């Protein structure tokens, strides 16, 4: 399928703006089935929103992001294997806006790597570690069905 490439360590790169109007398919270049579907009629924002709602833990990253690697390793040590989507620079603006922590509280797009747990934006690497160190990460993962204890 054009627009979906699988890399080492189960990273999937999904081209959210396919250049051709080929029919939807759910296979990777190797022919192995995957649960990431593409509808050519969806906008980039709609595709990202759908992916967030379909996966209990999803990380949006840039290509070769070391912080994303650390996020994946932290979650893997807990027993969770998140879906990782690598975005191109022009696709990052399609991430859903979140309330910022500055004094204006105006919505802004999160900067990659951005992790969503149960459809809710958690933040970047620092927020994920803070959640883990505070003891709230595992209960949150259990709550959304990403982890069984």
């Amino acid at each position: 399928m054009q627009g979906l490439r699988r890399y080492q360590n189960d990273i999937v790169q999904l081209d959210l703006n396919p250049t051709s109007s080929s029919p939807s398919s759910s296979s990777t270049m190797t022919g192995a089935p995957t649960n990431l579907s593409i509808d050519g009629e969806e906008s980039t924002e709609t595709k990202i929103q759908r992916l967030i709602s379909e996966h209990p833990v999803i990380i949006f990253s840039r290509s070769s992001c070391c912080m994303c690697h650390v996020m994946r390793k932290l979650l893997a040590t807990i027993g969770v294997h998140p879906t990782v989507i690598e975005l191109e620079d022009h696709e990052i603006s399609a991430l859903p806006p979140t309330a910022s922590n500055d004094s204006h509280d105006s919505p802004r797009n999160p900067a990659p790597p951005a992790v969503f747990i149960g459809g809710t934006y958690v933040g970047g690497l620092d927020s994920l570690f803070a959640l883990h160190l505070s003891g709230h990460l595992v209960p949150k993962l259990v709550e959304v069905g990403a982890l069984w204890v």
Side-chain angles (χ1 to χ4, degrees), residues 6-12 57-62 64-86 113 115 125 128-129 137 141:
R6 184 172 298 277
Y7 293 93
Q8 65 181 0
N9 298 326
D10 296 324
I11 293 177
V12 175
V57 181
I58 188 166
I59 299 172
F60 291 97
S61 173
R62 293 181 193 262
S64 303
C65 175
C66 62
M67 290 184 290
C68 175
H69 176 75
V70 173
M71 289 173 133
R72 288 181 56 240
K73 288 295 185 184
L74 169 65
L75 291 167
T77 60
I78 296 171
V80 174
H81 299 285
T83 301
V84 178
I85 304 293
E86 292 185 352
V115 65
L125 179 61
L128 186 64
F129 265 100
L137 180 59
L141 294 169

Side-chain angles (χ1 to χ4, degrees), residues 111-130:
V115 65
F116 291 81
I117 298 177
T120 304
Y121 174 66
V122 171
L125 179 61
D126 55 346
S127 299
L128 186 64
F129 265 100

Side-chain angles (χ1 to χ4, degrees), residues 5-89:
R5 294 177 291 253
R6 184 172 298 277
Y7 293 93
Q8 65 181 0
N9 298 326
D10 296 324
I11 293 177
V12 175
Q13 183 175 20
L14 177 63
D15 184 4
L16 297 175
N17 292 317
T19 55
S20 70
S21 59
S22 62
S24 250
S25 174
S26 62
S27 64
T28 62
M29 289 175 58
T30 61
T34 181
N35 61 354
L36 295 174
S37 60
I38 297 177
D39 181 0
E41 301 299 317
E42 287 183 313
S43 68
T44 302
E45 292 83 3
T46 304
K47 290 174 189 174
I48 287 177
Q49 205 57 309
R50 182 174 47 78
L51 288 168
I52 290 170
S53 67
E54 289 176 351
H55 300 276
V57 181
I58 188 166
I59 299 172
F60 291 97
S61 173
R62 293 181 193 262
S63 180
S64 303
C65 175
C66 62
M67 290 184 290
C68 175
H69 176 75
V70 173
M71 289 173 133
R72 288 181 56 240
K73 288 295 185 184
L74 169 65
L75 291 167
T77 60
I78 296 171
V80 174
H81 299 285
T83 301
V84 178
I85 304 293
E86 292 185 352
L87 299 175
E88 300 293 327
D89 289 338

